[in-house]
Amino acid sequence: MQQEEPLTVVVCGEFKRGKSSLINAILGEDVVTTDITTETITINKICYGEHSNEIILSGGKRMRLKDEELKSEKLQDILQNSTKGSNQLLLKRPIELLKDVTIIDTPGLGDRLADFSDDVEKALRMADAVIYVFSVSYPLSTQEQYFIKTNIVPQKYTDLILVGNYADVIECEEDYQKVQETVKNRIADIIPDIEPIFLSALDERCKQLEQKRPNTQIQKILEGNFINLRNKFNSLLDEKAEYVIPDRIKRLLDAMLADLQRDLFAIEQGLTLDSEQMQEKIEAIKNSKNERGIKQTEIFDMIDRKCEVYRANSV
């Protein structure tokens, strides 16, 4: 049965960790292109609906695209000529799983050519659950650990699944155990209760397409681990379905409190400034409050609508 409010799952991680490939393997279809253009420039939102592709530019302009245009120079030209800001691809597919979950594929962190940290942080604030993807070849660098600790762990009402991709490069079971131990040691002080899942999106996709598998030595392990990911994913959908809306309300209120704290800090800082600087600070705060007042009204209207849906579903 389709949920009125699908779970929002954000997939994030460093640049070129196979996030898009993992999403395709989860969905059992090549929905998200792994081409470098769209992977590094847009937020990809994948949800249920009749097959369609639409690009939403930062200025609000929307354009329908054919499947082949997702990899073409035309898409890159559109993005380059758009106003500076976030761009999004809205990909609708009639896949059964998407009736219950909307997946957000984020640009890679740590790309030296572009900084998408703001886009990823905004996506995380929308997340009911997060799949953080790292490469077993470079298992959880200091930068990755820091990101998890500062951006994901503080969101207490957001579930986390930690996935080590490209496990097909591990030559034997002994090396597999070593990688497991390394990762467990690195996350022991950050997220000790999380059990990482080591898998290969490539292996799973090859299996689905009945193609040659990349590593026959640990093929059974990889296959079992992907089943484990699916089970966790399905359990998450079942567990979160009943309280996803209250969780979202809690995150929205937390964000409002954080904004208020920043205002208070700004006022305290203003006490040490001269009168001219103080006036500038006050004007800036007033403008910010007016803008946020409009946004908060919109948010509370949205909360009212969502609560109505939640109460109706609970009857």
Side-chain angles (χ1 to χ4, degrees), residues 156-314:
K156 297 179 180 179
Y157 295 88
T158 299
D159 288 73
L160 171 64
I161 299 176
L162 192 61
V163 172
N165 197 16
Y166 299 126
D168 56 279
V169 303
I170 301 175
E171 294 185 357
C172 61
E173 192 168 344
E174 182 180 352
D175 290 343
Y176 175 86
Q177 299 295 337
K178 290 179 180 178
V179 173
Q180 265 192 327
E181 194 63 29
T182 298
V183 172
K184 285 182 179 179
N185 290 336
R186 291 182 178 179
I187 66 172
D189 296 329
I190 306 173
I191 39 175
D193 298 329
I194 297 292
E195 187 71 29
I197 302 175
F198 298 88
L199 49 76
S200 167
L202 173 62
D203 177 79
E204 178 64 19
R205 200 70 188 103
C206 288
K207 175 191 168 189
Q208 293 167 1
L209 296 171
E210 298 183 349
Q211 297 176 350
K212 184 179 179 181
R213 309 276 282 276
N215 188 337
T216 57
Q217 294 295 315
I218 59 170
Q219 180 174 302
K220 291 296 182 183
I221 294 176
L222 298 178
E223 188 172 325
N225 287 353
F226 206 91
I227 292 173
N228 184 22
L229 173 64
R230 285 194 182 281
N231 291 338
K232 280 198 172 187
F233 203 81
N234 291 332
S235 295
L236 189 62
L237 293 179
D238 292 337
E239 291 169 4
K240 298 283 281 188
E242 296 301 322
Y243 53 89
V244 58
I245 293 175
D247 277 0
R248 289 177 183 174
I249 294 172
K250 177 63 171 62
R251 289 199 300 276
L252 287 169
L253 293 176
D254 284 346
M256 292 177 191
L257 289 174
D259 283 346
L260 178 59
Q261 186 61 41
R262 282 192 291 271
D263 276 355
L264 291 174
F265 176 76
I267 293 171
E268 289 172 356
Q269 289 294 101
L271 295 176
T272 64
L273 303 176
D274 60 35
S275 59
E276 184 177 347
Q277 291 174 314
M278 173 73 81
Q279 189 59 40
E280 291 178 356
K281 282 283 186 182
I282 291 173
E283 288 300 319
I285 290 173
K286 284 182 179 178
N287 292 335
S288 177
K289 280 186 173 294
N290 288 337
E291 292 176 2
R292 190 167 62 256
I294 296 172
K295 289 182 180 178
Q296 287 182 353
T297 299
E298 294 174 350
I299 288 172
F300 281 124
D301 287 343
M302 180 188 69
I303 289 175
D304 289 340
R305 292 195 300 271
K306 291 182 182 296
C307 285
E308 287 298 323
V309 173
Y310 178 69
R311 283 193 289 269
N313 289 340
S314 300

Side-chain angles (χ1 to χ4, degrees), residues 18-31:
K19 298 181 295 297
S20 299
S21 298
L22 178 63
I23 291 171
N24 290 338
I26 290 173
L27 296 176
E29 184 177 320
D30 290 335
V31 175

